[in-house]
Amino acid sequence: MSAADEITTPFDLAQVRSSFPILKVAGSGGEPLVYFDNAATAQVPQAVLNAIEGAYVTHYSNVHRGAHLLSERATEHYEQVRERVRSWIHAESIEEIIFTSGTTAGINLVAKSWGKANVREGDSILISEAEHHSNLVPWQQLAAETGAKLEFLPLLETGEYDLEALPQVLTEKTKIVALASVSNVLGTINPIETIIEKAHAVGAVVCVDAAQSVPHFPTNVQRLKADFLAFSGHKMCAGSGIGVLYGRRKLLEAMPPFLGGGSMINLVERETFTTAALPAKFEAGTPPIVQAYALGAAITFLEEIGMKAIHQHEMNLVHYAWERLKDWDNLKILGPAPPHRAGLISFNLYQKNGRVIHANDVSHLLDQQGVAIRSGHHCTQPLHRRYGISTSARASFYLYNTIDEIDRFLGALEKAQRMLA
Ligand SMILES: Cc1ncc(COP(=O)(O)O)c(C=O)c1O
C-alpha cells in the first residue's frame, strides 16, 4: 500500500471533482490540467453555474428598486443570500453583512470610512510585513492622510508572527490592527483569536483579512470577536465580482458612508442627503446581484460537503506535499510546517551555486507539463523582500485536488529542476 493509499478523504472526492466541468480541461501534455492556483482564485462548480444561469432565466432584475414581479424576486433572492452568509459566518444580524466586490473593497471600506473617522495624528495602525498589498496599501494611505504611524508586527524566520514582540507594537496608541488570518504566501495559520483579545485589551479595533481562511475553514465571527472581517467569493467557488465585509453593527452604524450614490440614501435634497440604514448604507449603486446569487450557491455547495471535511482534506494534501518537499535538494519553502500552515506551499528552487531560479521559469516548465501553479510576488512585495527574494512559486490546494495531482506536480517539478539546474 502506498502512502497515498493510506490517506482517506472525508468526502466523495470523485463526486466533488465531477461537479467542476473545468477540471476536464486538458493541460499542455493532453492529461487533465492540475490546477494548483487556488489561492489566487478557485474554480466554479456546476451548481454555481446553474444558479447564475437560473437567475438570468427566472429572476433577474435590479434589486431594491422596482415594484414589479421580477424586481421583487430578484430582491428576495439577494436578501436570502445575505442571510445565508450571516448564518455561514455566524454573524449576529444581516445588517452586519455588506456585499462588496471582494476582500480589497472590504478592507478599503474600513480604512476609508472607519479609519478616517477614528484615526488621528499620533495614533498607530498595526499591520505586518506579511500582508497582501490589499491589507497594506489602504493602511499606508490612511497613515499618509491622517499622520498616524504604521507599526509592524515582526515576523519570525519561520513565517509566524513574533507574538513576544506584540507588547512593543500594540499599545494604547493603536487604533486598529489589520492582519490576515492565513498568509497567502507563507500559508501560516495566524493566532488571530489571541491577537484580537490582546488588541481589545488596549482598546484597538481589529480588521481581519480572511481571504485565505473563510474558503477553507469554518468561520465564526462572534467566537473570534472580530470587529471587521473581509473575504472574496472568487476564492470559494463563487466566481469573481463578489465579496463580503462583516462589521460589528455598532461600528458600522457609527461609520460615515464610503461611496455615495443610489441605494445608500434615505432622503436627498438639493444640497444634502441622509443615509439609508444598514446594510444599504454601504452598498451604493447597483450591487453585484447575480454574483451574490453565485455566492449563495457556493456556500450551499461547500456546506453540503462540510467546511471541517474540506479543511481536513486540505491538511492531508499539504502534509503529503510538505513531507516530500521539505528535504528536497536546492528547494526552500517559505513559512512554517503543518499543522501551522494551511493548504498552500510557496517555495523557490536554487541552482547548485546558490543562485535562485526565477519562479516564472519554474511555473512555465510546470505549465508545459499540465500543472498550473502561481509565480511572482503574490501581491506581497515587502514580504518577499523580508526573505531576500523578489518572487516565489506557489502551489495552493482546494477541495477538488488529489494526492495523485500532487504526485504529478512533484514529478513535473523534478523535471523542471533538472532542466534549470
Ligand atoms: C490574503 C489576501 N488578502 C487579500 C486578497 C485580495 O483579494 P481580492 O483580490 O479578491 O480583493 C488576497 C487575494 O489573493 C489574499 O490572498
Side-chain angles (χ1 to χ4, degrees):
M1 197 187 242
S2 73
D5 292 331
E6 285 169 25
I7 295 168
T8 50
T9 309
F11 49 81
D12 186 342
L13 187 50
Q15 195 189 331
V16 165
R17 284 183 67 77
S18 71
S19 312
F20 289 83
I22 206 165
L23 295 182
K24 296 186 186 80
V25 166
S28 312
E31 286 182 74
L33 185 71
V34 173
Y35 185 75
F36 280 176
D37 195 15
N38 295 290
T41 199
Q43 298 300 346
V44 180
Q46 189 62 51
V48 172
L49 299 174
N50 292 347
I52 295 169
E53 190 188 347
Y56 285 117
V57 173
T58 63
H59 53 268
Y60 181 63
S61 180
N62 212 324
V63 291
H64 297 303
R65 291 192 182 180
H68 57 79
L69 177 75
L70 282 187
S71 181
E72 278 168 13
R73 278 190 190 159
T75 305
E76 201 182 311
H77 276 82
Y78 183 72
E79 289 307 322
Q80 275 167 3
V81 177
R82 200 187 304 280
E83 166 54 25
R84 195 123 195 66
V85 173
R86 183 208 65 74
S87 79
W88 195 53
I89 63 167
H90 302 276
E92 205 175 313
S93 71
I94 52 166
E95 285 77 15
E96 298 180 320
I97 305 298
I98 313 292
F99 287 125
T100 65
S101 62
T103 308
T104 306
I107 296 170
N108 272 278
L109 196 163
V110 178
K112 275 142 184 106
S113 169
W114 186 92
K116 275 193 192 160
N118 292 281
V119 176
R120 303 273 171 275
E121 192 171 354
D123 293 338
S124 73
I125 301 164
L126 179 60
I127 52 173
S128 90
E129 269 180 324
E131 300 315 306
H132 189 284
H133 296 163
S134 293
N135 196 30
L136 173 58
V137 176
W139 306 113
Q140 292 174 337
Q141 290 173 316
L142 180 64
E145 281 162 24
T146 58
K149 186 175 176 218
L150 282 180
E151 292 280 7
F152 289 83
L153 177 56
L155 280 182
L156 297 169
E157 202 52 33
T158 57
E160 289 159 296
Y161 292 145
D162 181 359
L163 289 188
E164 281 182 18
L166 198 57
Q168 280 113 65
V169 287
L170 179 66
T171 68
E172 316 267 270
K173 288 187 175 175
T174 313
K175 276 280 147 32
I176 188 153
V177 176
L179 296 170
S181 38
V182 170
S183 159
N184 64 313
V185 174
L186 303 164
T188 321
I189 302 170
N190 292 314
I192 211 74
E193 219 167 322
T194 308
I195 295 172
I196 289 175
E197 209 182 301
K198 291 186 189 301
H200 286 169
V202 299
V205 155
V206 182
C207 178
V208 183
D209 172 354
Q212 298 293 347
S213 67
V214 166
H216 306 282
F217 302 77
T219 303
N220 185 324
V221 290
Q222 290 189 72
R223 197 175 309 140
L224 205 57
K225 297 197 168 65
D227 297 300
F228 298 104
L229 182 139
F231 60 97
S232 303
H234 71 93
K235 294 186 198 287
M236 47 174 282
C237 303
S240 62
I242 181 80
V244 171
L245 173 69
Y246 158 81
R248 269 203 301 119
R249 188 180 180 146
K250 274 216 156 83
L251 296 174
L252 291 174
E253 273 172 357
M255 283 158 57
F258 171 38
L259 297 176
S263 303
M264 51 70 71
I265 51 83
N266 182 21
L267 185 72
V268 181
E269 305 282 2
R270 266 168 55 102
E271 313 282 338
T272 57
F273 70 95
T274 55
T275 45
L278 290 174
K281 172 176 160 185
F282 292 110
E283 291 183 7
T286 298
I289 303 165
V290 178
Q291 290 88 337
Y293 303 152
L295 179 66
I299 292 174
T300 303
F301 177 81
L302 294 174
E303 265 189 337
E304 273 168 16
I305 299 162
M307 290 311 293
K308 276 194 185 148
I310 291 170
H311 178 59
Q312 179 58 50
H313 176 58
E314 290 173 14
M315 291 312 278
N316 288 346
L317 294 176
V318 79
H319 262 103
Y320 185 86
W322 168 269
E323 282 303 322
R324 280 144 191 85
L325 287 172
K326 70 179 185 345
D327 299 321
W328 192 293
D329 276 347
N330 299 315
L331 181 147
K332 200 168 163 209
I333 297 176
L334 296 166
H340 303 290
R341 79 157 55 229
L344 66 92
I345 299 187
S346 301
F347 61 92
N348 273 303
L349 289 178
Y350 291 80
Q351 289 175 326
K352 287 197 189 78
N353 61 11
R355 195 174 303 149
V356 66
I357 295 169
H358 201 291
N360 286 355
D361 294 334
V362 179
S363 167
H364 181 64
L365 288 178
L366 260 58
D367 185 50
Q368 284 185 347
Q369 299 172 75
V371 179
I373 62 161
R374 180 77 184 270
S375 61
H377 55 63
H378 319 299
C379 300
T380 56
Q381 289 182 7
L383 177 65
H384 279 80
R385 227 166 273 132
R386 154 80 172 73
Y387 285 98
I389 46 180
S390 56
T391 60
S392 59
R394 180 182 70 191
S396 54
F397 316 124
Y398 208 10
L399 72 164
Y400 38 71
N401 291 128
T402 67
I403 294 288
D404 283 350
E405 288 183 315
I406 292 181
D407 285 338
R408 268 190 62 199
F409 156 70
L410 295 170
L413 189 63
E414 217 173 338
K415 195 165 161 193
Q417 191 173 28
R418 273 200 306 276
M419 292 170 78
L420 295 165

